[in-house]
Amino acid sequence: MIAVVGGAGYIGSHMVKYLHERDESIVVFDNFSTGHMELLPPAVKVVRGDLASLDDLRALFSQYPMIDSVIHFAAFAYVGESVMDPSKYYRNNLANTINLLDVMLETGVKHLVFSSTCATYGNPVSLPITEEHSQQPINPYGRTKLMMEQMIEDYAVAYGFKFAALRYFNAAGAAPDGTIGEWHEPETHLIPLIMDVAIGKRESIHVFGSDFNTFDGTCIRDYIHVMDLADAHFKALNYLKHDVQNLKLNLSNGQGYSNLQIIKEIENITNLKVNYVMANRRPGDPEKLIGCADKAKQIIGWEPSYDLHEIIETAWNWHEAKFGGSL
């Protein structure tokens, strides 16, 4: 059985859907502080609990002693908030992960796939970013994720854990069948914010920075479909169960798109006009973030299957159905 920790969040819920459709035995552990019960299939086992509570964690593993592996998505992930309130991030992301690792150790569960991030790299010194790139995060969120990676690796060395740390770039898109998608409160991700303008929920969106050294002056990011991320987590877990090597892998499309390209693609797909306002760049925003996922392709046989058009098309189908009628 696989315990999906943080399984009611954006990426976690798509992981649960992926596993459920493959008849995998799963249980979701979530405190629902940011997740949504309605993103989960009705038949899936759910334990409401908090990583801050050792009692909650022990109850999970006691109730489901057949758990043999964990996929860990439970972390705060707002960069700006992490700068304003680092205590919240260090307590939740670091201290609570120690709780999870310790209870896994108590119960003999030693397979862990960890949701990491390209934010551990910081400002790129070369592109595309490979796993060998230096890790020098520039905000508390990125630092907590890097420290989580390091903690897990220390547990692996000392206690025999098997782990995969998957560093993904900009997660985007929604389930192709339109049943679940991206739902944050507040929303900070570019694609759903642009779609809020398209459906009339917002008047306009700010594009931060028009003077980057890029072809149109706006910053460039690498977008990866959320179901491709789920596929990679599953492949990484299967690899861990059949091989001795722990993994640190990038998950990316290997292509970058500018903010204005994203707006244009959304306009093309929706046939709606998106009003945007150019604004000053934000401190610390890299002009380009493009990843190299060759190692994931070589080691676990993973390759992204959704291009930018499909990423945005699936996101729009969900977004319009979920939020378009609530105005």
Side-chain angles (χ1 to χ4, degrees):
M1 174 178 268
I2 303 167
V4 184
V5 178
Y10 172 42
I11 301 172
S13 63
H14 287 78
M15 183 80 250
V16 170
K17 178 179 176 65
Y18 178 102
L19 294 170
H20 181 66
E21 290 175 349
R22 285 155 182 79
D23 294 321
E24 292 290 327
S25 177
I26 53 179
V27 58
V28 172
F29 183 82
D30 204 296
N31 67 4
F32 294 93
S33 62
T34 58
H36 303 276
M37 184 71 78
E38 66 189 86
L39 295 179
L40 299 174
V44 166
K45 299 176 180 67
V46 177
V47 173
R48 186 183 289 267
D50 199 302
L51 289 180
S53 168
L54 289 170
D55 288 341
D56 287 356
L57 281 164
R58 288 174 177 138
L60 167 70
F61 288 94
S62 174
Q63 184 177 354
Y64 295 99
M66 64 287 287
I67 293 171
D68 60 13
S69 52
V70 173
I71 304 179
H72 178 21
F73 294 102
F76 293 142
Y78 291 121
V79 170
E81 182 184 54
S82 78
V83 175
M84 299 298 295
D85 192 5
S87 172
K88 177 179 180 179
Y89 278 68
Y90 285 104
R91 288 183 185 279
N92 183 72
N93 295 6
L94 284 181
N96 289 355
T97 294
I98 293 174
N99 288 344
L100 174 62
L101 293 173
D102 283 347
V103 176
M104 287 176 64
L105 189 61
E106 288 177 12
T107 53
V109 179
K110 295 188 177 181
H111 290 96
L112 176 66
V113 179
F114 168 56
S115 166
S116 191
T117 171
C118 67
T120 65
Y121 293 118
N123 288 316
V125 296
S126 61
L127 292 172
I129 297 171
T130 69
E131 291 83 358
E132 288 69 42
H133 190 286
S134 60
Q135 290 182 284
Q136 296 180 331
I138 59 174
N139 52 65
Y141 164 65
R143 281 190 278 275
T144 62
K145 285 285 190 170
L146 177 56
M147 291 178 188
M148 291 160 83
E149 282 193 20
Q150 293 168 334
M151 290 192 315
I152 292 166
E153 186 166 23
D154 287 342
Y155 271 67
V157 171
Y159 308 122
F161 272 67
K162 302 280 291 298
F163 78 92
L166 304 182
R167 302 167 185 159
Y168 32 86
F169 285 67
N170 286 45
D177 63 6
T179 54
I180 62 172
E182 188 164 8
W183 181 5
H184 297 114
E185 294 174 353
E187 185 56 72
T188 63
H189 290 177
L190 180 66
I191 289 175
L193 287 175
I194 296 171
M195 290 179 179
D196 278 348
V197 179
I199 63 174
K201 188 176 179 181
R202 298 173 186 268
E203 290 186 5
S204 63
I205 185 172
H206 285 85
V207 176
F208 295 103
S210 59
D211 59 347
F212 289 100
N213 185 28
T214 61
F215 73 96
D216 66 9
T218 64
C219 63
I220 288 173
R221 296 293 182 265
D222 186 329
Y223 294 87
I224 182 76
H225 196 279
V226 64
M227 294 306 295
D228 280 331
L229 294 178
D231 183 54
H233 285 71
F234 187 59
K235 284 181 165 62
L237 181 57
N238 284 336
Y239 178 90
L240 293 181
K241 290 181 176 179
H242 297 96
D243 205 285
V244 297
Q245 181 184 2
N246 293 316
L247 301 172
K248 298 176 185 177
L249 301 175
N250 287 343
L251 301 179
S252 67
N253 258 315
Q255 299 181 59
Y257 298 94
S258 74
N259 287 345
L260 292 183
Q261 281 182 301
I262 298 298
I263 291 174
K264 185 63 176 176
E265 187 65 21
I266 290 174
E267 289 182 330
N268 289 340
I269 287 172
T270 64
N271 291 315
L272 295 169
K273 177 67 177 174
V274 173
N275 296 317
Y276 62 90
V277 177
M278 302 307 300
N280 292 332
R281 64 168 76 179
R282 294 174 296 192
D285 259 356
E287 68 180 29
K288 296 179 184 177
L289 287 175
I290 301 172
C292 174
D294 289 351
K295 188 174 284 189
K297 297 171 187 177
Q298 294 163 3
I299 296 176
I300 63 173
W302 173 82
E303 197 157 359
S305 57
Y306 294 83
D307 61 22
L308 181 68
H309 181 88
E310 293 165 321
I311 288 171
I312 292 177
E313 191 170 51
T314 59
W316 173 246
N317 289 341
W318 154 261
H319 200 91
E320 184 185 32
K322 177 65 180 173
F323 304 110
S326 61
L327 303 177

